[in-house]
């Protein structure tokens, strides 16, 4: 079954809402840090809201579901998409642009002694040193080496690359929020039957602990695909269809098997709604899996991907330079 | 006139004000005209066909928008934030992520009262609004559109602090917004700056970075990268100006959840106040005091709900002819000395949320000669709740005048006063009295009172008043009747009020 993209042709954005519920029971573990607590805030109608998963976290999850870690490759449906793999001096896989926090801007790709990719980027983006950044050209280069970065955004924060002005905004963004939350406090004791009053610092003794879970009548995952931005890349119909299908696949995959957010936060989809454009039906994951290889092949036929698709960089520590983007990039 | 509607489908608006650090957790609210302009430029750069929508058209559109500071209608927004640590291995920096939480179904209105666009500019603006993905940070998803017609009232506009002339209360909160300079103003500014720079001795590199931020083109100046501006040492964008706006107090609330959740209010039809003041009015002046109370309620309703939203059940105007006694009865009540120390307002059709707000806010009643009485709200509830303190709301089968009854129709052969009382009871779905007895006087607190001892006229001129003298009556019903029972002319102002007669009296 092919995917009907015609209804999306003029739509500026695709908005999807998935109503979620805890897989078992009513409680779920919130995101947060021990000394900061959960990300709870107020809504305009007086409801207590909880950020269950941030936009940055969701981006990471949408990338994780695309990667077959044991085989160090894309999942089957996405095989053939370009990416950059980093290997160590022994040739063992170290990381890659799908798993890396800053994608193509990863320090392991651009900051090592192996400057292959850096030099290629510099050569291809050299004429952007002055004047406005040509986003279409930047998008074409990113598509060639790290197509995934087109969807999640990129900031090439290096002075040598157009003065650190090369940025692509997020096309796919998402977050999960729970409404009208209530705290569910619980606790317990780790028992030491041998010596209850042993030195807890060394792992002995009884240790009481407390935990704060939440309950909520409504948990919603929001997804937003900026279709106008995909068209704005100006990379042609085949690329547009591939990027939309890839974005949809990521969403489907996260909803199908990526919702175990934390040990005690395993969510399930109760209801899925496409809010914009109204009435459009989100294809099933198997439909997308069936369509994606063809879409990848169509773009490859236009010679838009690097050959070979996998660019390999060997990681050897180079000079450490602090980059501009490091302080505020929050992914991973 | 040009009006834009911005709604936030993610329910959140993230934007750090110029010159503030992200960890100050402040939110630029409402979105500055500067930010909106730059969002439109970014959308044009990233998403639009530059052949179809050339730069010159964009410049003319944005120039027009810059000519006039827009007005805003702000939806309810709550200033919220989340905190997280950066996942750096060596040092975990704490970051605040502040945002305004907004109801996704509510729209932020941006309104230029004088702006007139031509067809090409309108088409470009519509396309920009259609394609715009976010305003502020990338998490601030936005859906924008142009409204052909908007009749609402802006609540955030340029100007100085507004003060209520009567009470001296400050009604607005000042907020500085950045707006782009008009293209003409920028040309002047740029020339002055360039000539000023020529006179200064600066390092070549410094001069170069400053000059880069003062391009000749207005559009280029508005589009400059924030990092470049900061690197050149600008504390505010050179192509922008600060405009003082006034937004409603608490436009960006710090918290709402700490408030108790509004519980569904039980249904109510009666409210009672205690009256304090010296001197209190006499029961003989019931109608005058009731008129003062009604006037106070009208004033408070106008202030609380707006001039056009005063509930008809409070005014008594604009109701169906067959339902005209369902509106408010203003019934002052006297103490044992005949002084009006309480007032009971009974609305047979029920008190809704708006009326509750009005009654809750009512604190004083003013007379014509500058006298003022303070009111203390005792309770808003059902009629039965007041039975112990206000006999007039009890149920009884025998009722006796407390204030004079003024028959509402002219007396005719078959329509004498007792017939009029019967007719009124029928029209109010009460059983007809089995006995109607005229009382020449009443003695409510030891003093014998005649009808003419009471004030019996409304201050409103031109009313038909067939009876000017009034009379006292005792009515006996076959079954118990629930009060308050007020009949005849001025019954909504305390005239024709009956009180139950207990069996042993």
């Amino acid at each position: 079954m092919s995917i009907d993209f015609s209804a999306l042709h003029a739509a500026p954005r695709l908005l999807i809402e998935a109503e979620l519920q805890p897989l078992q029971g009513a409680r779920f573990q919130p995101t947060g840090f021990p000394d900061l607590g959960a990300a709870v805030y107020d809504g305009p109608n007086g409801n207590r809201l909880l950020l269950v998963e941030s936009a940055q976290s969701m981006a990471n999850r949408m990338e994780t579901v695309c990667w077959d870690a044991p085989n160090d490759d894309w999942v089957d449906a996405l095989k053939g998409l370009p990416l950059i793999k980093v290997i160590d001096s022994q040739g063992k896989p170290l990381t890659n642009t799908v798993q890396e926090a800053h994608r193509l801007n990863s320090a392991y790709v651009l900051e090592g002694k192996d400057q292959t990719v850096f030099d290629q980027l510099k050569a291809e983006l050299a004429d952007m040193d002055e004047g406005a950044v040509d986003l279409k050209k930047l998008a074409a280069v990113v598509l060639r080496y790290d197509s995934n970065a087109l969807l999640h955004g990129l900031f090439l924060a290096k002075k040598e690359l157009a003065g650190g002005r090369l940025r692509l905004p997020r096309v796919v963004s998402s977050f999960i929020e729970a409404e009208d939350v209530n705290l569910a406090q619980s606790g317990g004791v780790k028992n030491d039957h041998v010596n209850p009053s042993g030195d807890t610092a060394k792992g002995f003794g009884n240790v009481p602990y407390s935990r704060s879970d939440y309950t909520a009548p409504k948990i919603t995952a929001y997804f937003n695909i900026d279709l106008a931005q995909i068209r704005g890349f100006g990379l042609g119909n085949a690329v547009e269809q591939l990027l939309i299908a890839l974005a949809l696949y990521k969403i489907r995959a996260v909803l199908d098997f990526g919702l175990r957010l934390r040990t005690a936060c395993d969510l399930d989809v109760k209801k899925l709604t496409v809010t914009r454009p109204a009435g459009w039906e989100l294809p099933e994951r198997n439909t997308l899996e069936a369509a994606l290889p063809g879409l990848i092949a169509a773009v490859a036929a236009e010679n838009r991907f690097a050959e070979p698709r996998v660019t390999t960089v060997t990681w050897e520590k180079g000079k450490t330079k602090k980059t501009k983007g490091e302080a505020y990039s929050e992914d991973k | 006139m040009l009006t834009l509607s911005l709604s936030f489908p993610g329910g959140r608006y993230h934007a750090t004000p110029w010159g503030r650090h992200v960890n100050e957790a402040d939110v630029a609210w409402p979105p500055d005209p500067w930010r909106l302009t730059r969002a439109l430029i970014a959308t044009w750069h990233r998403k639009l066909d530059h052949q179809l929508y050339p730069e010159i058209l964009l410049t003319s559109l944005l120039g027009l928008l810059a000519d006039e500071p827009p007005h805003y209608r702000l939806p309810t927004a709550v200033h919220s934030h989340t905190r997280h640590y950066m996942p750096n291995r060596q040092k975990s920096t704490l970051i605040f992520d502040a945002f305004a939480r907004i109801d996704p179904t509510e729209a932020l209105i941006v309104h230029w009262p004088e702006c007139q666009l031509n067809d090409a500019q309108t088409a470009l603006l519509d396309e920009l609004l259609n394609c715009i993905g976010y305003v502020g940070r990338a998490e601030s998803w936005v859906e924008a559109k142009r409204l052909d017609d908007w009749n609402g009232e802006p609540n955030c506009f340029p100007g100085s602090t507004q003060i209520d002339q009567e009470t001296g209360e400050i009604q607005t909160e000042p907020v500085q917004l950045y707006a782009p300079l008009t293209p003409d103003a920028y040309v002047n500014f740029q020339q002055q700056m360039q000539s000023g720079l020529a006179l200064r001795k600066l390092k070549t590199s410094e001069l170069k970075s400053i000059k880069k931020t003062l391009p000749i083109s207005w559009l280029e100046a508005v589009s400059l990268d924030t990092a470049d501006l900061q690197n050149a040492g600008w504390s505010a964008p050179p192509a922008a100006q600060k405009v003082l706006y006034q937004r409603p107090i608490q436009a960006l609330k710090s918290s709402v959840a700490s408030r108790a959740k509004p519980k569904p209010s039980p249904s109510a039809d009666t409210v009672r106040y205690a009256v304090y003041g010296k001197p209190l009015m006499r029961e003989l002046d019931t109608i005058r005091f009731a008129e003062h109370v009604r006037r106070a309620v009208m004033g408070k309703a106008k202030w609380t709900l707006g001039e056009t939203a005063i509930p008809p059940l409070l005014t008594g105007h604009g109701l169906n002819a067959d339902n005209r006694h369902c509106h408010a009865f203003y019934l002052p009540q006297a103490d044992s000395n005949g002084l009006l120390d309480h007032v009971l307002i009974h609305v047979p059709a029920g008190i809704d949320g708006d009326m509750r707000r009005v009654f809750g806010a009512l604190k004083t009643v003013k007379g014509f000669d500058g006298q003022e009485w303070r009111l203390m709200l005792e309770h808003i509830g059902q009629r039965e709740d007041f039975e112990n303190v206000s006999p007039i709301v009890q149920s009884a089968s025998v009722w006796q005048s407390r204030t004079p009854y003024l028959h509402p129709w002219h007396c005719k052969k078959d329509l004498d006063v007792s017939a009029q009382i019967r007719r009124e009871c029928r029209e109010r779905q009460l059983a007809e009295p089995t006995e109607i007895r005229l009382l020449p006087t009443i003695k409510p607190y030891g003093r014998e009172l005649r009808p003419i001892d009471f004030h019996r006229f409304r201050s409103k001129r031109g009313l038909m008043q067939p009876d000017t003298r009034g009379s006292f009556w005792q009515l006996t019903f076959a079954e118990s009747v629930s009060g308050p029972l007020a009949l005849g002319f001025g019954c909504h102002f305390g005239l024709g009020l009956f009180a139950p007669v207990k069996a042993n009296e």
Side-chain angles (χ1 to χ4, degrees):
Chain A
M1 195 180 134
S2 64
I3 303 161
D4 179 18
F5 291 102
S6 58
L8 305 180
H9 187 66
R13 59 186 70 80
L14 183 60
L15 299 183
I16 299 164
E17 286 181 23
E19 209 175 306
L20 309 177
Q21 63 186 5
L23 196 60
Q24 290 178 310
R27 288 174 296 136
F28 58 92
Q29 181 189 1
T31 181
F33 296 89
D35 60 338
L36 296 181
V40 180
Y41 46 90
D42 294 346
N45 57 0
N47 273 2
R48 272 315 246 175
L49 302 172
L50 171 77
L51 185 67
V52 181
E53 205 68 355
S54 69
Q56 294 84 359
S57 243
M58 284 303 280
N60 297 337
R61 291 184 187 283
M62 282 195 273
E63 289 176 304
T64 307
V65 290
C66 295
W67 194 248
D68 179 0
N71 293 317
D72 192 39
D73 199 355
W74 291 105
V75 293
D76 285 345
L78 305 181
K79 282 193 169 126
L81 277 176
L83 85 155
I84 297 166
K85 281 187 176 181
V86 182
I87 53 170
D88 64 13
S89 48
Q90 275 84 47
K92 281 187 189 163
L94 200 64
T95 183
N96 57 64
T97 49
V98 180
Q99 293 180 305
E100 265 303 287
H102 301 161
R103 304 179 185 96
L104 187 55
N105 187 45
S106 162
Y108 294 100
V109 176
L110 300 181
E111 299 280 349
K113 277 187 183 164
D114 182 353
Q115 293 279 291
T116 330
V117 173
F118 180 76
D119 292 340
Q120 270 170 334
L121 290 178
K122 205 173 167 192
E124 295 189 42
L125 302 168
D127 52 350
M128 288 198 225
D129 281 347
E130 291 285 324
V133 170
D134 185 346
L135 277 177
K136 290 178 181 172
K137 191 168 180 187
L138 174 61
V141 172
V142 174
L143 176 75
R144 193 188 329 275
Y145 297 106
D146 185 19
S147 313
N148 169 65
L150 280 182
L151 291 184
H152 294 290
L154 182 69
F155 181 11
L156 286 169
K158 289 187 74 69
K159 225 176 178 180
E160 300 86 339
L161 298 173
R165 296 179 301 138
L166 299 178
R167 292 170 212 176
L168 287 174
R170 275 192 205 123
V171 166
V172 181
S173 54
S174 166
F175 65 94
I176 303 178
E177 195 175 63
E179 278 183 46
D180 207 7
V181 291
N182 277 309
L183 194 60
Q185 286 282 17
S186 60
V189 181
K190 187 233 40 164
N191 281 321
D192 184 342
H193 298 292
V194 182
N195 180 11
S197 57
D199 184 355
T200 51
K202 289 183 178 164
F204 301 104
N206 284 359
V207 184
Y209 63 88
S210 71
R211 57 180 298 140
S212 306
D213 286 345
Y214 279 84
T215 63
K218 194 174 175 201
I219 308 172
T220 313
Y222 298 86
F223 297 93
N224 182 342
I225 304 177
D226 193 341
L227 300 172
Q229 179 62 78
I230 292 179
R231 288 194 289 274
F233 289 146
L235 296 170
N237 201 33
V239 177
E240 280 173 32
Q241 293 194 357
L242 170 63
L243 291 178
I244 296 173
L246 179 57
L248 295 175
Y249 172 79
K250 284 167 180 267
I251 294 170
R252 275 290 189 193
V254 163
L255 294 178
D256 284 353
F257 44 76
L259 285 177
R260 186 164 190 212
L261 308 178
R262 282 167 286 281
T263 314
C265 183
D266 201 350
L267 304 171
D268 195 14
V269 180
K270 209 159 100 182
K271 194 178 154 199
L272 192 65
T273 321
V274 177
T275 52
R276 304 273 192 294
W280 192 74
E281 269 192 39
L282 185 65
E284 294 293 334
R285 183 164 52 85
N286 51 21
T287 311
L288 292 159
E289 283 170 342
L292 273 163
L295 294 168
I296 293 169
V299 176
E302 292 179 0
N303 292 324
R304 291 186 181 274
F305 292 150
E307 291 296 347
R309 308 280 168 85
V310 180
T311 311
T312 309
V313 175
T314 310
W315 168 246
E316 222 177 314
K317 206 173 172 186
K319 263 200 289 180
T320 29
K321 279 181 277 180
K322 197 180 176 190
T323 55
K324 222 161 126 188
E326 208 173 75
Y328 291 110
S329 185
E330 298 165 14
D331 294 18
K332 288 182 178 130
Chain B
M1 188 182 89
L2 171 69
T3 311
L4 309 184
S5 153
L6 274 66
S7 57
F8 300 87
R12 301 199 282 162
Y13 172 72
H14 300 244
T16 307
W18 238 98
R20 309 294 293 272
H21 189 269
V22 64
N23 270 14
E24 289 181 61
D26 200 0
V27 177
W29 183 252
D32 312 57
W34 172 259
R35 197 180 293 271
L36 289 175
T37 304
R38 285 167 63 87
L40 293 175
I41 294 172
T43 307
W44 179 82
H45 265 293
R46 289 191 200 135
K47 302 182 183 179
L48 259 56
D49 182 345
H50 295 185
Q51 305 283 330
L52 207 58
Y53 303 104
E55 187 176 314
I56 191 163
L57 181 61
L58 179 74
T59 310
S60 75
L61 167 68
L62 298 179
L64 271 181
L65 299 188
D67 270 347
E68 186 190 355
H71 296 195
Y72 296 84
R73 172 91 206 168
L74 306 179
T76 311
V78 183
H79 189 168
S80 311
H81 76 271
T82 61
R83 282 167 284 181
H84 61 270
Y85 288 112
M86 296 300 293
N88 295 349
R89 287 199 187 99
Q90 298 82 11
K91 188 185 164 202
S92 46
T93 317
L94 178 63
I95 296 287
F96 282 66
D97 183 5
F99 53 89
R101 187 64 173 77
I102 306 155
D103 186 338
T105 60
E106 283 200 50
L108 167 84
I109 301 292
V110 192
H111 179 68
W112 287 263
E114 304 295 331
C115 184
Q116 295 291 341
L117 303 182
N118 64 28
D119 289 349
Q121 290 161 341
T122 308
L124 168 60
L125 180 62
D126 284 346
E127 188 58 16
L128 286 170
L129 296 175
N130 186 39
C131 290
I132 199 166
Y134 58 86
V135 173
R137 292 233 306 277
E139 292 92 332
S140 311
W141 304 348
V142 76
E143 279 199 313
K145 61 183 175 200
R146 189 172 54 82
L147 301 180
D148 286 326
D149 198 17
W150 185 67
N151 302 318
E153 276 288 313
N155 60 4
C156 175
F157 31 75
S160 51
T161 307
Q162 296 200 332
I163 295 173
D164 187 322
Q165 294 298 332
E166 281 191 14
T167 61
E169 275 179 298
I170 294 174
Q171 294 178 317
T172 57
E173 176 180 62
V175 56
Q176 298 273 10
L177 299 188
Y178 280 94
L181 288 174
T182 61
D184 290 344
Y186 175 71
V187 170
N188 285 336
F189 171 82
Q190 197 261 359
Q191 284 168 355
Q192 280 176 15
M193 284 301 291
Q194 292 287 14
S195 47
L197 279 175
L199 298 174
R200 290 182 64 186
K201 284 178 186 170
L202 291 170
K203 282 184 201 162
T204 320
S205 60
E206 211 175 332
L207 198 63
K208 195 180 162 194
S209 72
I210 295 176
K211 280 194 169 171
K212 237 172 82 178
T213 58
L214 288 167
I216 295 167
S217 150
W218 174 83
L219 186 67
E220 222 176 291
V222 178
S223 313
L224 281 168
D225 198 302
T226 305
D228 288 343
L229 293 174
Q230 286 167 338
N231 288 343
W234 292 101
S235 59
Q241 57 182 331
K242 267 187 192 175
V243 182
L244 182 67
Y245 270 72
Q246 299 298 327
R247 68 181 185 192
I249 290 170
Q250 289 282 301
L252 196 57
K253 293 179 186 175
S254 55
S255 165
V256 288
S258 51
R259 272 199 329 229
K261 272 193 190 173
K263 288 179 189 158
S265 310
S267 59
D269 60 8
T270 306
V271 52
R272 189 173 188 258
Y273 296 92
V275 181
Y276 299 93
K278 273 188 179 176
L280 291 172
M281 282 183 95
R282 299 175 306 162
E283 190 180 22
L284 301 177
D285 292 317
T286 291
I287 188 168
R288 291 169 61 201
F289 187 62
E291 282 192 325
H292 294 328
V293 173
R294 180 184 178 276
R295 208 168 42 251
V297 171
M298 291 305 107
K300 195 54 76 182
K302 187 175 157 187
W303 186 79
T304 313
L305 309 172
E307 195 162 358
T308 54
I310 303 176
L313 290 174
L314 291 183
T315 60
H317 300 159
L319 294 160
N320 293 337
D322 58 343
N323 197 19
R324 56 199 173 128
H325 287 296
C326 63
H327 64 274
F329 286 82
Y330 298 90
L331 306 174
Q333 290 179 268
D335 62 8
S336 56
N337 299 316
L339 297 174
L340 298 173
D341 67 343
H342 281 84
V343 62
L344 185 125
I345 304 172
H346 176 64
V347 188
I351 293 172
D352 63 13
D354 282 349
M355 285 192 258
R356 268 180 192 274
R357 283 174 56 205
V358 174
F359 289 139
L362 187 66
K363 302 281 182 235
T364 53
V365 170
K366 286 181 183 171
F368 287 127
D369 50 2
Q371 179 159 17
E372 191 174 293
W373 297 271
R374 288 180 58 76
L375 294 187
M376 194 191 80
L377 175 66
E378 288 187 338
H379 181 53
I380 302 178
Q382 285 293 343
R383 183 189 61 80
E384 297 83 358
D385 301 347
F386 301 90
E387 280 182 350
N388 290 337
V389 290
S390 287
I392 60 163
V393 295
Q394 290 173 354
S395 296
S397 53
V398 184
W399 293 78
Q400 183 181 302
S401 284
R402 182 80 197 203
T403 56
Y405 171 77
L406 275 68
H407 57 82
W409 298 287
H410 290 286
C411 285
K412 292 176 186 166
K413 192 179 166 193
D414 297 328
L415 195 65
D416 60 6
V417 178
S418 60
Q420 293 202 17
I421 292 174
R422 285 177 201 284
R423 181 175 157 185
E424 281 202 79
C425 289
R426 276 199 308 276
E427 288 184 358
R428 297 190 193 194
Q429 275 86 44
L430 292 173
E432 280 188 34
T434 52
E435 189 193 338
I436 300 181
R437 189 157 64 89
L438 181 68
L439 304 172
T441 57
I442 56 170
K443 217 172 172 180
Y445 26 81
R447 187 181 152 198
E448 195 156 355
L449 296 173
R450 297 163 299 164
I452 56 166
D453 290 331
F454 284 81
H455 188 90
R456 305 175 307 285
F457 305 96
R458 294 275 314 273
S459 58
K460 187 177 178 182
R461 290 172 192 276
L463 292 174
M464 188 190 75
Q465 187 170 349
D467 183 4
T468 53
R469 289 183 60 84
S471 46
F472 294 132
W473 298 86
Q474 180 168 309
L475 311 179
T476 308
F477 296 88
E479 290 175 356
S480 276
V481 170
S482 299
L485 186 61
L487 303 171
F489 174 86
C491 62
H492 287 273
F493 295 88
L495 283 190
L497 182 65
F498 289 80
V501 180
K502 288 174 192 155
N504 55 359
E505 283 181 11

